[in-house]
Amino acid sequence: MQLSPASSEQTEGDRAPRFPRLRALLHQRRGFSDTEKTAAALLLIATVLALVWANLPLGSSYDDFWHSTVSLQVGTNTIELDFRSLVNEGLMTLFFFVVGLEVKREFALGELSVWSRAVVPVAAAIAGLAIPAVIFLLINPTGPTSHAWGVVISSDTAFLLGALAIVGPRLPGHLRTFLLALAVVDDIGALGVIAIFYTDEVHFVPLVIAALALAVIWALRFLSFGQGPLYVVFSVVVWVALLASGVQPTLGGVAIALLIPVYTPRRMEVERAAELSRAFRQSPNPAYAQAAVRGLLNSVSVNDRLHTLYTPYTSFIILPVFALANAGVHLSGETLAAAVVSPLTWGVVAGLVIGKLVGIAGITALVKMLRLGVLAPGLTLGRVAGGAALSGIGFTISLFIIDLSIDDPRLQDEARVGVLAASLLAFVLGFALFRIVDRVQPPSRMSLVLARPVDPKRDHIRGPVDAPLTLVEYGDFECPFCSRATGSIDEVRAHFGDSLQYVWRHLPLTRVHPHALLAARASEAAAAQGRFFDMAPLMFAHQDALELDDLLGYAASLELDLDRFEEDMRSSETVNRVRDDAIDAELMDVHSTPTFFICGKRHTGPYDAATLIRELYESGQAASSSVSDLG
C-alpha cells in the first residue's frame, strides 16, 4: 500500500505553522507539485505587494523604479532597457522557454502526441484569440480606442498556471496540460499579432540572423560534445536579434524550446552511463569523472535536462519578480470614476472575461460534438469552462499592447483598470465554475463509481466483453498485495465463468515501488504483441526482479520480438496509456492497490474470493437472468 509521508507540521513540534489557511488551501491542490504550489503562493504575494506599492502615498516611486534604465554598449551598438522591459522581455524569455520545453515534451511524448487530443487545445486557443477581439470591437468599433483590440487577445501564462494551482479543482487530471498547451499557442499567436499589427518598424536583417541562429540550434543535436555552451551562445544571438528587429523577443524562448530534442532514455545510452560510473568507482580520477558525467547527461534528452535545471529559477524568482513589475496598477479615485463609464474599460473586461470563456469553452464543445477531437480521460467540459474563465487573466502582453496601441495617458489608465478588473473577475469566475462543477459532481461521489467505462478496444480484459458482471482492478505489479490478490481473482473467475469480465488497469505507486512504472510499461509492450496476461504473472512471480534486463528476460521467455518490445516500452502511446489509468485513479481518489470496482461501483473492505463473489451476486447486474441461471 502507499504510505503517507510525515507532514511538515509534525516535524516542527508544537509550533503552529505560518499562514495556516494558505497552507491548507495549497495542500488541497493535490494534482500540482510542491514547486507549483509554492510558486503560486509567491506569485500571489508579489501581486499584492505590487498593488500596495503602486498606490502608496509616496509619489511615483513604483513607476520611477521600474522605468530606471540599464544599458549595454558594445562598440557603437547600445542596448538600453528599463527594469520592467528587462523583466518582461529578458527574464520572461526564460519562463516561456521552460513552458515551451514542457509543451514540446507533451507534443512529442505526452498526451498531446495524439492528434485527436492535441487538436482541441489548439482550436480552443485560436478561438480564444479571435472571439475576445471581436467582442472588444463590437464595444469600440471606431475611434482611437479601436486599435487596442489586441489588449484582450492573450492570456497570461504565468498568472493562469498560478491561479489554477490556487483555485483549480482538487483533482485536476489533464486540465493543467490542456491549459498549458492552450497558453503556449495563445502566446505564439499574441506575439505574432504584436509583430504584425503593433510593431512600427521591423528590421529584416536581424530577423534573418535570428532565423539562421535558430537553424544552428536545431543542428546542434548532431554534435556529440559542446552542446551546452553553444546552446547558450546561439540562444543569446536569437534574443538580441529579435530585440533589434522590433519583434517581441520572448517569442524566441518558445521557438528555441520547440527546436530542442526530447526523447525517452535509450537502453544503450543508459548502459553506457552505468559502465562509465563503474569505471570511475573502480578508478576515481578526473578523466573518468568527466566521462561519467557526460554519459549520465547524454542518457537523458536535452529537453529534460534543461527543464529540470531552469524550473526552480522561473518558479521562485522570475515569476514573482514579473508579478511585482507588472501588477502595480494605479487605482486613484479619478481613474476609477472615468473607467466605470469608459467603453474602453468595458471592452477590455468583456473581451477578456466573456470572450475567453465563450471562445475556449465553446470551440471545445463544438470540436467534441463534431468528433474532430477528444478530451483526455477525466477532462470534462465543466473543467474546461473553469480553465477558460481563468484564461481571462491578462497581464504581460495586455499591458504591453496598451503602451503600443494607445497614446493618451488617460485612456491608458482606463485600459489598465480594465485589465486589472478583468483579471480579478476571471479569477473569481474560474473559482465559482470549479466549485459548481465540484458540487454537481463532487470528488467524494466520483470516488464511488468508475470514472471511465470499460472499453474493449483499450482495456485489458479476461472473459467475454459482453459479460453481465464486471470486476475492475487498479493494481501495481510491484505491490505484494496485488500479487496475493491474483489467487482470489482466479477463484472468482472460475466461479462465474463466462458471466464475468475481469479488467486490469494501472496504478503504479512510484513513491513506494520504484520499479512499478517500468513494469507497467513492460506489460503494455507485451500487450502490443498480444501477451499481456502472460507477462503479468511473470512479473508478479518475480517482484524483486523488475529491472529493465529482467523485463527483457521475461519478454524473451515469451518469445516476443525484443526490439519491438523495447521500442514499445518507450513509445508515447504506452506512456499515455499508463498515465491515463493513473489519472483516472486520481480522479476517483484511489491511492492504494489493489482497489476493485464491482459492476462500476467501488469495493471497500476485504478482497478475498468469498467477499468478491458475494458482492458480485449482490450487485445490480448479479440479479440479471443470465446470472440467476448460475445458481
Side-chain angles (χ1 to χ4, degrees):
M1 290 185 179
Q2 187 175 16
L3 303 177
S4 299
S7 66
S8 59
E9 287 78 10
Q10 290 175 329
T11 64
E12 295 175 357
D14 297 332
R15 185 179 62 183
R18 295 181 178 180
F19 312 112
R21 295 182 65 84
L22 181 59
R23 286 187 175 217
L25 176 65
L26 295 177
H27 180 70
Q28 294 175 4
R29 309 297 106 199
R30 199 162 56 202
F32 297 87
S33 67
D34 291 339
T35 294
E36 290 171 316
K37 295 173 186 177
T38 305
L42 291 175
L43 196 63
L44 181 62
I45 292 171
T47 301
V48 174
L49 287 177
L51 286 170
V52 171
W53 182 9
N55 291 279
L56 285 175
L58 299 176
S60 56
S61 62
Y62 180 84
D63 286 332
D64 290 343
F65 176 81
W66 292 109
H67 286 152
S68 301
T69 60
V70 292
S71 61
L72 174 64
Q73 183 172 353
V74 180
T76 59
N77 299 310
T78 301
I79 297 177
E80 184 173 283
L81 296 171
D82 61 24
F83 283 175
R84 180 174 288 131
S85 297
L86 189 63
V87 171
N88 291 347
E89 300 177 9
L91 295 182
M92 287 303 289
T93 301
L94 184 59
F95 169 77
F96 285 117
F97 173 74
V98 172
V99 171
L101 290 174
E102 189 168 352
V103 172
K104 171 66 179 289
R105 181 171 182 83
E106 289 297 332
F107 274 103
L109 301 175
E111 65 181 57
L112 298 180
S113 61
V114 181
W115 171 246
S116 59
R117 289 191 189 179
V119 69
V120 184
V122 171
I126 295 172
L129 289 166
I131 293 181
V134 171
I135 291 177
F136 179 88
L137 288 173
L138 289 175
I139 300 175
N140 296 271
T142 59
T145 61
S146 62
H147 188 53
W149 57 269
V151 173
V152 301
I153 63 174
S154 180
S155 304
D156 192 293
T157 305
F159 276 94
L160 171 61
L161 297 181
L164 184 66
I166 294 173
V167 302
R170 185 168 63 93
L171 302 173
H174 292 268
L175 179 60
R176 184 187 180 280
T177 301
F178 177 90
L179 291 178
L180 184 63
L182 183 148
V184 169
V185 176
D186 178 285
D187 288 333
I188 293 173
L191 294 175
V193 166
I194 291 174
I196 297 172
F197 296 99
Y198 294 106
T199 300
D200 295 331
E201 184 178 3
V202 176
H203 303 286
F204 289 98
V205 172
L207 276 181
V208 172
I209 295 174
L212 292 175
L214 288 172
V216 173
I217 289 173
W218 175 85
L220 290 178
R221 67 186 66 199
F222 300 110
L223 288 182
S224 58
F225 62 91
Q227 287 181 331
L230 291 175
Y231 272 124
V232 173
V233 170
F234 285 100
S235 295
V236 172
V237 171
V238 170
W239 186 85
V240 173
L242 289 178
L243 182 66
S245 72
V247 175
Q248 179 60 244
T250 52
L251 184 60
V254 178
I256 294 168
L258 296 179
L259 293 175
I260 289 179
V262 58
Y263 49 81
T264 55
R266 302 183 179 96
R267 184 188 179 203
M268 182 182 302
E269 293 169 347
V270 172
E271 291 180 349
R272 174 61 176 165
E275 292 174 359
L276 292 170
S277 298
R278 283 193 295 268
F280 173 73
R281 183 177 61 184
Q282 295 170 358
S283 179
N285 62 73
Y288 280 1
Q290 291 179 354
V293 169
R294 284 198 300 269
L296 290 170
L297 292 176
N298 291 335
S299 65
V300 295
S301 70
V302 180
N303 179 292
D304 291 327
R305 301 203 305 264
L306 294 178
H307 187 272
T308 302
L309 175 64
Y310 289 122
T311 294
Y313 297 101
T314 59
S315 299
F316 302 138
I317 299 176
I318 292 177
L319 290 185
V321 171
F322 156 76
L324 193 63
N326 289 278
V329 179
H330 295 284
L331 300 176
S332 66
E334 181 181 354
T335 299
L336 292 176
V340 169
V341 295
S342 171
L344 175 59
T345 302
W346 288 108
V348 171
V349 171
L352 285 171
V353 178
I354 300 175
K356 287 292 183 181
L357 175 60
V358 173
I360 294 172
I363 201 66
T364 299
L366 181 62
V367 169
K368 183 180 180 182
M369 181 181 67
L370 297 177
R371 297 184 178 180
L372 299 175
V374 297
L375 293 175
L379 185 56
T380 63
L381 287 176
R383 292 184 171 218
V384 171
L390 291 182
S391 298
I393 299 175
F395 257 91
T396 311
I397 293 179
S398 295
L399 296 175
F400 184 70
I401 294 179
I402 287 174
D403 291 333
L404 295 177
S405 60
I406 302 174
D407 296 326
D408 187 341
R410 179 181 59 83
L411 294 177
Q412 286 182 347
D413 287 341
E414 293 176 8
R416 292 190 184 104
V417 171
V419 171
L420 181 63
S423 299
L424 180 61
L425 289 173
F427 184 87
V428 173
L429 180 60
F431 173 81
L433 288 175
F434 283 131
R435 300 292 81 78
I436 291 172
V437 170
D438 285 344
R439 183 178 295 274
V440 172
Q441 193 175 19
S444 58
R445 186 186 306 169
M446 293 173 64
S447 68
L448 301 178
V449 296
L450 197 62
R452 173 168 48 85
V454 175
D455 183 358
K457 296 181 180 179
R458 182 191 182 283
D459 283 311
H460 304 296
I461 301 174
R462 300 189 75 174
V465 296
D466 58 348
L469 300 177
T470 302
L471 178 64
V472 177
E473 177 183 1
Y474 279 85
D476 176 324
F477 288 113
E478 200 174 2
C479 172
F481 301 99
C482 293
S483 179
R484 296 170 194 166
T486 56
S488 299
I489 294 167
D490 289 341
E491 289 186 40
V492 173
R493 291 186 61 246
H495 181 86
F496 287 102
D498 290 342
S499 294
L500 174 71
Q501 62 171 341
Y502 164 75
V503 181
W504 168 275
R505 289 180 178 174
H506 302 286
L507 180 53
L509 303 177
T510 53
R511 285 188 179 182
V512 290
H513 300 144
H515 305 96
L517 183 59
L518 191 65
R521 293 176 180 175
S523 71
E524 290 297 335
Q529 301 185 46
R531 305 297 294 274
F532 177 88
F533 287 107
D534 296 316
M535 187 70 168
L538 289 175
M539 294 190 292
F540 277 133
H542 303 89
Q543 289 186 316
D544 57 344
L546 295 177
E547 299 285 353
L548 178 58
D549 288 339
D550 301 317
L551 299 173
L552 290 171
Y554 306 147
S557 70
L558 296 175
E559 299 183 348
L560 301 181
D561 182 334
L562 293 185
D563 290 336
R564 179 186 171 190
F565 177 84
E566 190 173 355
E567 182 178 349
D568 286 338
M569 282 187 65
R570 299 196 308 266
S571 70
S572 60
E573 181 179 357
T574 294
V575 172
N576 290 332
R577 192 160 184 170
V578 174
R579 185 168 63 174
D580 284 349
D581 283 356
I583 289 179
D584 286 345
E586 180 187 83
L587 288 170
M588 297 179 294
D589 209 16
V590 173
H591 299 285
S592 63
T593 56
T595 295
F596 293 96
F597 287 80
I598 295 177
C599 299
K601 296 183 179 180
R602 185 169 180 170
H603 166 75
T604 57
Y607 43 84
D608 58 279
T611 300
L612 294 177
I613 290 171
R614 183 177 65 254
E615 291 210 12
L616 281 163
Y617 271 120
E618 292 175 354
S619 68
Q621 291 187 9
S624 65
S625 59
S626 61
V627 177
S628 298
D629 294 341
L630 294 174

